[in-house]
Every structure is written in structure tokens, then in C-alpha cells.
Amino acid sequence: MSLENQINCPECNKLNPYDAKFCGFCGMNLVEVMDTDLLLLQTELEPKHYKIKKRLGQGGMASVYLAEQIKLERLVAVKILSKELSENKEMRERFLSEARTEAKIKHYAIVEIFDVGVVDGRPYFIME
């Protein structure tokens, strides 16, 4: 089983199958710690030709996920604004403004923005 099809138990840090309801080592309820952002992106973007693989990181504003753009056979990153900040209109606009600004710049040291959108009221953008 590949690592992308597994989840770490937050209690004992052991790997479990991604669809496991309880940790096979310590019994921790894994349903409560499921990555709801990952599930949202998989539900909304996979029909649109992206395979969302795993979370790469999380910051104060957003989470970033590794994905594959299936038709072009390339890896991309998907950045989605946190649920809490998405409730603030100013923060949503600031996040989308970041994507628009980056999309206008072509430079080897700045990632390219491929797409932008909103799922379940939460803005996201797809980048290299």
C-alpha cells in the first residue's frame, strides 16, 4: 500500500489505511481527525480532472495539497483558504487577490498559477 493511501494516527503516529475508522494499533477514532479539506477537494475537483493526493502543509491562512492534473499528467499544488477565514469577505478577496497577482508575474522564482475557483464558499487556486 502506498503512503498516499494511508493516514497517520495523531495519537501513536502509526500508519493506517486511509479509510480506517479506528487506528489498528491504539484504537484512536480516526473519523474525527479526517482531513475534511482533503475530502472536500477530492469531491469537488476530482470530477474536474484533478486527483488530490495528500496534504503538503498547513499555515495560518490556508492548506496546500499535492494533486495530479490528470489530462496533462503533471503534479500541481492546490491551496485552499481555511474554513474560518473563508467566512470573512475581506480575507476571501485578499486570498484571491494573491492568486491574481501571482498569475500576472512570470519569473523563475515565482510559482505559476494555473487556475482559481471557489468550492463550498472557500476560494482555492491551483499552481505549479
Side-chain angles (χ1 to χ4, degrees):
M1 180 178 293
S2 69
L3 289 179
E4 64 192 47
N5 294 327
Q6 297 184 25
I7 184 172
N8 273 16
C9 173
E11 185 68 27
C12 69
N13 206 33
K14 302 283 186 181
L15 286 173
N16 289 273
Y18 193 78
D19 57 353
K21 294 187 182 356
F22 296 93
C23 176
F25 300 93
C26 71
M28 172 83 172
N29 184 341
L30 297 175
V31 174
E32 294 176 1
V33 297
M34 287 297 288
D35 188 338
T36 56
D37 289 350
L38 177 66
L39 296 174
L40 173 66
L41 291 172
Q42 287 173 332
T43 302
E44 297 294 327
L45 297 182
E46 286 192 5
K48 296 177 182 154
H49 314 293
Y50 294 97
K51 178 169 176 48
I52 312 300
K53 296 182 176 232
K54 65 180 179 179
R55 184 184 349 217
L56 294 174
Q58 182 173 353
M61 281 187 72
S63 296
V64 178
Y65 291 84
L66 175 66
E68 178 185 359
Q69 190 174 14
I70 297 167
K71 286 187 176 184
L72 295 177
E73 298 178 349
R74 68 177 171 186
L75 293 177
V76 296
V78 180
K79 186 174 185 178
I80 185 167
L81 188 62
S82 73
K83 185 173 185 174
E84 295 78 21
L85 292 178
S86 293
E87 295 170 3
N88 180 313
K89 182 180 179 181
E90 183 180 326
M91 293 306 292
R92 283 192 313 269
E93 186 53 41
R94 182 176 164 192
F95 184 82
L96 292 171
S97 177
E98 174 187 340
R100 287 190 294 268
T101 301
E102 286 182 35
K104 294 175 185 175
I105 301 170
K106 296 286 186 199
H107 190 273
Y108 71 92
I110 298 176
V111 297
E112 185 177 351
I113 304 298
F114 298 136
D115 196 8
V116 66
V118 177
V119 293
D120 197 28
R122 298 183 53 201
Y124 70 89
F125 55 88
I126 297 172
M127 58 192 166
E128 63 178 332

